[in-house]
Amino acid sequence: MNINPEDFFFSGDGHEKTPLFERHQKLKATMIEFGGWCMPVQYTAVIEEHRATRSAAGIFDICHMGEIEVRGTGARDLLQSVMSRNLDGQEIGQMRLSVMPNVRGGIIDDLTVYKLGEEHYMVVTNAVTKDGDWEWIRKAQKEKGFRGVTSGTSATPRARSICRGRSHKSSFRRLHREILPPLKFYHFMSTEVLGIPSIVSRSGYTGEDGFEIYADSRRIGEIFDALLSAGTPTGLKPVGLGARDTLRIESGMMLYGHEMDETVTPYEVVYGWLVDLTKEFTGCEALRKQKEEGVKKKLIGFEMMDRGIARHGYKVFGNGREIGRVTSGTFAPTLSKAVGFAFVDRTHDSPGAEIGIEIRGQQAKARVVPLTVL
């Protein structure tokens, strides 16, 4: 799982850089291109960063993700028309995971909707899809006549204790005492961190109790530095995309571009619960039809029974014939076994079913395991 930095030399020229880019360089991170951004893949070693996140805490740069602000009369109705999930009843300070489908029901993006106020929302998108997401929302706004709406682009087991560290003591103690305890899962709070106006939310993408901090890009580095200083004595480590990937696969969390894209519908993955067919939205007719007829392929989780790690694109076999392809695979350090995701024919998606995965020309045995959802 170690990555040789010499194999990944990347200057970042010609790609977007987050506000933390220079800090990554000072920390001697190995940088790669990801979705048009220059991002850290590792600082020390993937397994080391993975285990630090599981046993202590990890700090991640998520500045490359997209933020779309939607506000004004009809903001909720506009989002209702493009989101599969029903936003009725969402409270201010609450986040809702949703899917934005195309007319065929395929997933344009899976994103999180923050309700900042009445008729005021922030939509957090994946990095690769953010421009397309914004154009899709603007297109719906124009076609459906929402003239009163404006739109624009705009962590872990020991995370709480780090936020009350000795550095910047009073600010972090307030964060720990007044903000984190009452902050429920998939909720957020507008507050100050180090005196900097911020939004602190609670979701995470690692399987741990994670927190996100949004602040002015010109000052987010101050928060990063302070958190790193406060947390390092208790085991906090900066974590790159490599460990982020092993952490999310180990926890059964999907990645856009691997488990999802515009050819995949919510019912073919584990997002059927994000679809409310009692309301009208783009793609609802296609999804109603698919729900009635059933899906032909389904995303499964698997664990390897034989030696070997299944990688993206590897062929999957069942009963002597090819039945699908692997979308993601890795060795899971916490589980001490190789695991992954694959799309297979619906007839082979039952937990416990034995499948074969072609690894270097040989079929290795694997077992279907249940996938969990948020």
Side-chain angles (χ1 to χ4, degrees):
M1 294 294 291
N2 287 325
I3 295 174
N4 183 357
E6 294 181 1
D7 294 337
F8 287 87
F9 176 76
F10 183 69
S11 67
D13 292 343
H15 294 85
E16 296 282 354
K17 298 179 178 67
T18 77
L20 302 178
F21 175 78
E22 291 183 357
R23 286 170 169 82
H24 301 319
Q25 287 186 314
K26 289 180 180 179
L27 291 168
K28 302 187 185 308
T30 302
M31 309 299 289
I32 64 168
E33 185 276 333
F34 178 80
W37 291 80
C38 185
M39 296 294 294
V41 65
Q42 70 171 33
Y43 298 83
T44 53
V46 171
I47 289 183
E48 181 180 332
E49 293 167 22
H50 180 113
R51 288 176 174 161
T53 305
R54 288 279 183 254
S55 63
I59 185 168
F60 300 78
D61 182 0
I62 57 171
C63 297
H64 62 308
M65 297 183 69
E67 299 166 27
I68 301 172
E69 191 174 5
V70 182
R71 66 162 74 203
T73 304
R76 183 194 65 87
D77 292 340
L78 171 59
L79 291 177
Q80 284 279 59
S81 74
V82 297
M83 302 290 175
S84 65
R85 190 169 184 184
N86 199 329
L87 302 181
D88 283 345
Q90 183 177 5
E91 300 174 352
I92 296 173
Q94 185 178 24
M95 307 151 62
R96 283 194 177 173
L97 181 65
S98 186
V99 164
M100 190 159 65
N102 58 28
V103 293
R104 299 178 300 280
I107 300 174
I108 294 174
D109 198 7
D110 66 326
L111 29 70
T112 308
V113 181
Y114 288 60
K115 186 171 183 179
L116 302 174
E118 295 301 336
E119 304 295 349
H120 186 191
Y121 296 84
M122 178 174 72
V123 179
V124 178
T125 77
N126 283 294
V128 177
T129 59
K130 62 182 179 180
D131 292 338
D133 290 357
W134 187 30
E135 289 303 321
W136 188 260
I137 292 172
R138 291 179 65 191
K139 178 183 176 184
Q141 177 183 349
K142 181 178 180 180
E143 292 179 349
K144 299 177 183 181
F146 289 98
R147 291 186 173 83
V149 182
T150 60
S151 61
T153 58
S154 40
T156 56
R158 212 168 293 164
R160 285 194 183 189
S161 62
I162 287 166
C163 290
R164 58 179 174 184
R166 293 182 179 180
S167 299
H168 310 282
K169 184 184 296 184
S170 61
S171 181
F172 281 162
R173 280 184 175 173
R174 177 180 172 272
L175 185 64
H176 180 265
R177 182 179 63 252
E178 300 177 14
I179 299 173
L180 302 189
L183 196 58
K184 298 178 182 177
F185 186 58
Y186 261 72
H187 284 70
F188 68 92
M189 184 180 294
S190 296
T191 184
E192 289 187 352
V193 179
L194 302 181
I196 302 169
S198 305
I199 291 175
V200 178
S201 61
R202 188 174 195 167
S203 62
Y205 186 58
T206 64
E208 303 294 344
D209 188 14
F211 300 89
E212 302 80 38
I213 298 177
Y214 301 83
D216 189 322
S217 62
R218 293 167 296 185
R219 302 198 66 187
I220 195 68
E222 298 173 41
I223 297 175
F224 180 88
D225 292 343
L227 286 170
L228 199 58
S229 175
T232 297
T234 55
L236 172 72
K237 288 185 180 297
V239 181
L241 295 176
R244 185 206 66 167
D245 206 44
T246 59
L247 287 159
R248 67 96 185 169
I249 295 173
E250 186 176 77
S251 297
M253 296 181 178
M254 301 179 292
L255 178 64
Y256 196 88
H258 284 247
E259 285 70 50
M260 298 169 285
D261 58 35
E262 293 199 39
T263 69
V264 175
T265 75
Y267 290 126
E268 294 169 335
V269 291
V270 291
Y271 277 168
W273 66 283
L274 296 179
V275 179
D276 186 344
L277 295 178
T278 66
K279 75 182 186 87
E280 297 298 317
F281 59 90
T282 302
C284 64
E285 289 302 322
L287 291 173
R288 287 190 182 107
K289 181 179 180 182
Q290 187 178 60
K291 185 175 183 181
E292 181 180 341
E293 296 177 352
V295 299
K296 296 180 180 178
K297 65 177 181 180
K298 190 71 176 179
L299 184 72
I300 61 162
F302 64 82
E303 60 182 21
M304 298 301 301
M305 300 166 63
D306 288 341
R307 293 175 62 86
I309 297 176
R311 302 295 188 187
H312 176 81
Y314 284 13
K315 297 178 181 179
V316 182
F317 293 84
N319 296 330
R321 66 182 183 87
E322 185 177 338
I323 59 169
R325 295 287 178 117
V326 173
T327 58
S328 297
T330 191
F331 175 78
T334 311
L335 303 175
S336 296
K337 64 177 69 173
V339 298
F341 298 102
F343 273 113
V344 299
D345 295 348
R346 190 61 198 266
T347 53
H348 292 78
D349 69 343
S350 299
E354 187 175 306
I355 56 176
I357 299 178
E358 187 175 88
I359 302 176
R360 294 186 294 275
Q362 301 289 326
Q363 280 196 34
K365 292 181 181 178
R367 181 188 297 114
V368 178
V369 296
L371 283 177
T372 58
V373 296
L374 290 173

